[in-house]
Amino acid sequence: KQKSKKQKVERDTTQEVSPKEEEKAQEKEEHTDQEVGEEDQSLKQDEPRTDENGGDEAFVSDGRYRNKQRCLVLCSRGVTARYRHLLEDLRTLLPHHKKESKLDAGSDGTGQAVNDILQMRSCNSVVFLECRKRQDCYMWLGLAGGPSARFHVSNIHTMDELRLTGNCMKGSRPILSFDKSFDEFHHLRLLKHLFIDIFGTPRGHPKSKPFVDRVMGFYSADGKVWVRNYQILEQQPLNALEAHLSKKQTNTADKTSLVEIGPRFVLNPIRIFRGSFGGQTLYQNSDYVSPNEIRALEKKGKGNAYQHRKQSLKKRKERTEAIVLPHDPLADVFQ
Amino acid sequence: NNVIQVIELDDTTSDEEEEDDDEEEEEKKEVEEKEEKDQEKKDKKDAKDDVEMEVEEENEKKEEETAEDTSKTEEETPADDADMEEEEDDDEDDDDDDDDEEETLKQAAKHKALLSVTNSLIAKSTKLPFGERFDVTPSTHLPFGKHNKDNNPLDIHDDLKRELAFYNLAMEATIAARDLCHKSRIPFSRPDDFFAEMVKTDDHMAMVKDRLIFETKKMDAVAQRKSNKEQKLRAKEKQSNKLEEKARQKREHMQMTEQWAKTAAASNRGSGGVLNDGDDSAYLQKLAGNNNNNNKKRAWTDRDGNKQFGVNKKREAADKKYGFGGKRGRFKQNDPKEAGDMSAFNPRGNFGGAGTKGVGGRKGKGQQRAGKRARDASRSRK
């Protein structure tokens, strides 16, 4: 009975339920704040403690914020309304973000400027939205001191759109779902870990909420990365038949369904760099065609019509000159 | 295995090629190193899928091929054409192999760097348990590329099917994540009384709701319009049929009566040519046929709006009680017997004035008349 009382009290303060609260409480007193590295070892010490289920995944957090992630979210000047809204949406979805005003690149260039700001704000990762010619939007995702990637963003639908009807808790930790091909290609594996660091909310963050509300799906298709956000809806089944069916499929009686929240966008990877905003190119997407090139080709295509016409005129002239009837010796026989 | 063959080739080449051989050997060594790294990586990982193996083998083969292309043309078997290849090597190396080699070196270096960075990232993140990372990889492939089960790849531009594929994959991921969360004792489902600030405000959700209602209304309106049109058409058809039927019957009836009128005079009648009223009723009845138009078996709708067939008993009872003026009104109607009752007729025509009483006057009460109700009631007894 005492144990259960303690559990009740602890439930108010900590965010997760655990039957081993007593032992945890003792450990808490012994614990001091440690770096993540050392903490990992202590986590590892906890891991072999087996559960009733016998699984080794039974590690329970003590509710403290250990995996500290801070993500700098900013944009360049010249960003239009749609991209600004996208950035705002990303900020609401990332409770571990740090907001920064529009970046005006200094003499050293944007990369250096962003790195300086990263250092100043002591952030681990960065999402930088760069808009060129008020038309094309490029997104940089990077880790401080680590690899960074540049993408071309397209097909943006923000959360404001009325067709995206889902809603989720602000600060709830998302499930990150990756396509199988993220395990197969090397550059995609790297991108997968970038996404986990940036888009995954760290456990125990003060602004994070305990229950799982949201799934963030990353799909690799056509050489691009498609990003979707869904809300997880669990509805009570209406009758016993439905309950039975859903239990067979998903091991719970609730009928789970997904509703799209937004934003949704498509990232076309351009390059992956070894350092933050520079350094050795680790990967270059050979299928990427910059929007400038596309526009240039289109305009050339329009000019082709004129050239084509001129050429055909020339050909016709030559042909008419070339085709000459041979002189017929019997032409004058009859008058 | 390809690596081993290449090494043998190196052994058989002449001294002239030593410099190139050295470069080649360096490349081979790099490739070997890479392969060793890959091997280590393979050992580190627990489970290895066949697909991944294939991809990595393909990558390795690609590297080997790019490395080999610069050195030799690998179509011939090594033992036979070693001398030939030496001569070809001379030409190739002189012309543009330097650039190619640089290219491949760069590619190899890039690949190596990519692998090393990826591996370090992976190493960092595998230290964290599932509860920290929250990442799930569902086991089904996307149906866009070669992995479609019907061998019919889905077009990426087919929006509906594409989004459906994404949805299904996310569904799988949530189910897998739920299991993992249960194992790690992470609470998954939100209880109904847990309120928290949401990503979209209530006002926004109200707008969303309005839009949804509007869309459903639109759909309903379209459906209603369609059904109305159809119904109208059918009702029109029905009505026209009815009218036609009525007209036809009327025409027939008139024709038959005319016929009868023509033949009636000529026919033999029971009363020897004198017309009596009741003579032809049987014949006329037959003419009219068993005209069931006036039968009570009409369709009627009950209180809940359901169509019913057969006699409506309530209607009949009401008609009987209140029809044709009700009790009082019906009393005032003549039936054929009463209409033909000549008993009150006095051929002498002795009309009295105001003093004389009516036919079958009252015996009792003096000049007092009984009330209307009493008079009607007494009248009905006659």
Side-chain angles (χ1 to χ4, degrees):
Chain A
K1 298 286 163 61
Q2 280 182 357
K3 197 174 178 181
S4 65
K5 263 196 197 163
K6 216 175 189 178
Q7 273 183 7
K8 258 197 182 168
V9 167
E10 305 252 355
R11 193 175 293 163
D12 293 332
T13 53
T14 62
Q15 292 169 336
E16 291 171 32
V17 180
S18 101
K20 300 188 176 74
E21 286 291 331
E22 280 183 339
E23 300 167 30
K24 281 289 172 189
Q26 284 173 13
E27 276 190 9
K28 250 194 211 174
E29 289 161 8
E30 293 165 349
H31 261 214
T32 53
D33 264 350
Q34 297 171 2
E35 294 296 332
V36 179
E38 290 176 63
E39 198 54 38
D40 286 340
Q41 291 189 2
S42 66
L43 291 180
K44 272 196 175 157
Q45 286 171 10
D46 289 336
E47 273 177 19
R49 183 188 313 166
T50 52
D51 219 20
E52 292 103 50
N53 301 333
D56 55 350
E57 291 273 8
F59 173 70
V60 182
S61 104
D62 55 358
R64 296 177 85 152
Y65 175 31
R66 304 222 179 261
N67 177 21
K68 297 201 195 299
Q69 294 278 349
R70 282 171 297 275
C71 185
L72 185 71
V73 179
L74 78 167
C75 62
S76 69
R77 282 182 73 222
V79 155
T80 42
R82 186 177 278 268
Y83 307 126
R84 214 165 358 100
H85 282 116
L86 175 66
L87 210 66
E88 274 307 312
D89 291 343
L90 285 180
R91 284 187 183 136
T92 47
L93 291 178
L94 266 51
H96 58 286
H97 78 270
K98 285 237 159 67
K99 184 171 167 168
E100 188 61 40
S101 53
K102 283 189 195 170
L103 178 75
D104 205 358
S107 54
D108 290 333
T110 54
Q112 192 60 30
V114 176
N115 285 331
D116 290 339
I117 299 178
L118 266 181
Q119 229 182 14
M120 261 196 320
R121 303 290 299 270
S122 66
C123 287
N124 303 29
S125 45
V126 62
V127 175
F128 177 58
L129 221 64
E130 184 185 21
C131 193
R132 290 281 178 92
K133 293 188 179 176
R134 302 184 84 81
Q135 275 174 4
D136 319 318
C137 178
Y138 299 95
M139 183 188 276
W140 289 86
L141 294 178
L143 302 176
S148 56
R150 188 172 193 238
F151 302 93
H152 174 63
V153 190
S154 54
N155 292 17
I156 295 176
H157 296 265
T158 56
M159 278 196 311
D160 296 334
E161 297 205 357
L162 293 177
R163 288 182 198 273
L164 303 173
T165 52
N167 200 358
C168 71
M169 287 193 294
K170 195 165 182 174
S172 68
R173 299 187 60 213
I175 299 279
L176 304 167
S177 148
F178 292 97
D179 185 18
K180 203 85 202 292
S181 43
F182 276 89
D183 283 338
E184 292 169 13
F185 297 98
H186 301 300
H187 67 277
L188 285 178
R189 280 162 64 211
L190 196 143
L191 288 180
K192 173 175 170 175
H193 290 282
L194 264 184
F195 290 143
I196 292 176
D197 276 340
I198 291 175
F199 289 107
T201 306
R203 180 157 68 167
H205 192 275
K207 287 192 190 165
S208 72
K209 301 283 186 312
F211 304 105
V212 172
D213 221 4
R214 179 160 71 97
V215 184
M216 195 159 179
F218 297 91
Y219 311 97
S220 165
D222 196 24
K224 306 185 180 73
V225 177
W226 303 65
V227 180
R228 298 283 182 270
N229 278 293
Y230 298 99
Q231 173 195 13
I232 302 173
L233 269 180
E234 288 180 352
Q235 288 155 337
Q236 300 296 326
L238 293 169
N239 51 29
L241 178 66
E242 270 190 34
H244 175 67
L245 280 174
S246 62
K247 193 137 196 170
K248 263 207 295 190
Q249 280 175 353
T250 69
N251 287 350
T252 52
D254 290 335
K255 194 171 76 138
T256 323
S257 63
L258 299 175
V259 189
E260 188 150 3
I261 306 170
R264 52 149 89 167
F265 46 92
V266 178
L267 297 173
N268 193 357
I270 304 174
R271 265 187 206 242
I272 303 181
F273 298 98
R274 190 179 195 145
S276 173
F277 287 80
Q280 182 191 14
T281 305
L282 296 177
Y283 170 76
Q284 186 175 1
N285 187 4
S286 43
D287 295 330
Y288 169 69
V289 180
S290 85
N292 285 334
E293 279 181 42
I294 296 176
R295 286 192 283 261
L297 281 174
E298 273 180 25
K299 290 205 177 137
K300 261 195 200 164
K302 287 189 190 160
N304 271 346
Y306 172 78
Q307 269 188 20
H308 192 70
R309 200 176 62 230
K310 284 293 173 194
Q311 272 179 7
S312 54
L313 278 175
K314 199 164 129 193
K315 259 202 229 167
R316 183 181 164 76
K317 195 171 166 194
E318 284 171 11
R319 200 154 167 265
T320 47
E321 284 170 8
I323 296 177
V324 175
L325 281 176
H327 175 68
D328 189 7
L330 304 174
D332 298 333
V333 172
F334 302 103
Q335 273 192 328
Chain B
N1 303 328
N2 283 338
V3 177
I4 297 169
Q5 275 184 356
V6 167
I7 292 172
E8 283 175 351
L9 278 167
D10 280 341
D11 293 337
T12 58
T13 51
S14 65
D15 294 335
E16 294 172 358
E17 304 294 316
E18 259 183 8
E19 293 174 358
D20 298 317
D21 282 347
D22 285 344
E23 288 181 56
E24 289 157 10
E25 272 176 357
E26 279 174 15
E27 286 179 38
K28 298 296 165 291
K29 274 186 190 158
E30 279 189 273
V31 172
E32 280 176 9
E33 281 173 9
K34 249 183 289 159
E35 291 205 34
E36 283 173 7
K37 272 204 172 177
D38 291 345
Q39 277 295 325
E40 288 171 7
K41 196 170 38 106
K42 282 177 194 177
D43 294 337
K44 269 186 197 168
K45 281 191 176 178
D46 299 331
K48 201 69 167 122
D49 289 338
D50 287 340
V51 187
E52 280 180 80
M53 283 277 281
E54 279 174 6
V55 170
E56 294 209 4
E57 281 172 358
E58 276 172 15
N59 287 345
E60 288 163 0
K61 272 190 197 156
K62 242 196 275 184
E63 292 153 17
E64 288 166 353
E65 280 169 11
T66 52
E68 286 164 356
D69 279 344
T70 59
S71 53
K72 311 192 188 317
T73 53
E74 259 279 301
E75 284 117 24
E76 302 96 329
T77 55
D80 301 335
D81 305 80
D83 296 331
M84 279 273 291
E85 282 171 4
E86 283 171 25
E87 291 168 10
E88 281 172 351
D89 283 341
D90 273 333
D91 299 333
E92 281 180 11
D93 287 339
D94 289 337
D95 290 333
D96 44 20
D97 231 20
D98 295 336
D99 297 339
D100 284 352
E101 280 184 10
E102 271 181 40
E103 266 293 315
T104 52
L105 274 174
K106 270 196 210 158
Q107 294 278 1
K110 263 196 219 172
H111 191 84
K112 199 162 72 162
L114 176 65
L115 279 178
S116 71
V117 170
T118 326
N119 290 338
S120 65
L121 274 183
I122 291 176
K124 247 198 297 175
S125 81
T126 45
K127 279 194 209 158
L128 302 170
F130 168 73
E132 300 284 338
R133 287 173 296 129
F134 256 23
D135 76 324
V136 183
T137 305
S139 51
T140 43
H141 287 269
L142 279 176
F144 299 118
K146 44 193 169 148
H147 294 289
N148 204 16
K149 51 180 178 150
D150 297 332
N151 225 17
N152 186 18
L154 212 64
D155 184 20
I156 196 92
H157 298 290
D158 186 354
D159 290 342
L160 209 61
K161 294 208 181 120
R162 185 214 326 138
E163 294 302 322
L164 194 66
F166 288 168
Y167 178 95
N168 289 334
L169 220 63
M171 217 29 205
E172 242 189 271
T174 36
I175 294 166
R178 204 211 309 263
D179 291 336
L180 286 168
C181 282
H182 281 320
K183 277 195 218 145
S184 339
R185 310 286 194 75
I186 298 171
F188 192 86
S189 317
R190 182 162 76 128
D192 290 331
D193 54 357
F194 185 90
F195 295 113
E197 187 186 355
M198 305 293 262
V199 147
K200 297 187 191 173
T201 57
D202 284 342
D203 300 335
H204 188 268
M205 293 316 280
M207 278 202 290
V208 168
K209 188 170 150 188
D210 285 342
R211 181 146 218 283
L212 280 177
I213 289 173
F214 170 72
E215 283 192 349
T216 47
K217 262 198 195 163
K218 225 167 51 161
M219 282 202 301
D220 284 344
V222 166
Q224 184 73 9
R225 236 179 281 143
K226 248 197 208 168
S227 76
N228 275 358
K229 224 177 175 181
E230 242 182 287
Q231 260 190 4
K232 206 172 170 186
L233 203 68
R234 272 207 226 107
K236 225 175 177 175
E237 270 183 52
K238 223 176 163 186
Q239 186 69 7
S240 69
N241 279 352
K242 248 198 217 168
L243 281 176
E244 211 190 293
E245 184 71 23
K246 257 189 183 172
R248 190 177 60 83
Q249 280 209 342
K250 184 176 179 182
R251 204 178 31 222
E252 264 187 38
H253 190 82
M254 296 310 282
Q255 278 177 359
M256 285 176 100
T257 45
E258 271 181 57
Q259 219 181 23
W260 167 81
K262 281 184 198 161
T263 60
S267 74
N268 252 355
R269 279 219 186 87
S271 50
V274 177
L275 277 173
N276 280 335
D277 276 335
D279 282 343
D280 304 302
S281 59
Y283 179 67
L284 284 174
Q285 195 78 13
K286 209 170 65 176
L287 258 192
N290 297 328
N291 192 2
N292 289 330
N293 281 343
N294 294 339
N295 71 341
K296 299 277 187 165
K297 286 199 175 163
R298 282 189 296 253
W300 53 281
T301 56
D302 72 355
R303 213 179 197 179
D304 301 328
N306 304 325
K307 214 171 178 189
Q308 302 279 6
F309 295 96
V311 169
N312 184 1
K313 293 195 180 138
K314 280 192 177 175
R315 185 75 259 157
E316 279 205 354
D319 282 350
K320 203 170 170 199
K321 197 170 177 190
Y322 301 108
F324 297 110
K327 258 195 292 185
R328 283 203 330 212
R330 272 200 300 275
F331 294 155
K332 296 199 173 187
Q333 285 172 4
N334 282 336
D335 48 352
K337 213 170 95 181
E338 212 170 67
D341 180 21
M342 299 291 278
S343 57
F345 177 58
N346 185 359
R348 275 183 276 151
N350 292 341
F351 295 109
T356 54
K357 295 222 170 75
V359 176
R362 292 177 62 83
K363 287 188 185 159
K365 288 188 174 180
Q367 299 201 331
Q368 275 285 36
R369 256 168 108 211
K372 191 169 178 149
R373 267 201 170 275
R375 275 185 278 137
D376 288 341
S378 66
R379 186 166 154 254
S380 71
R381 275 194 225 111
K382 277 193 206 169

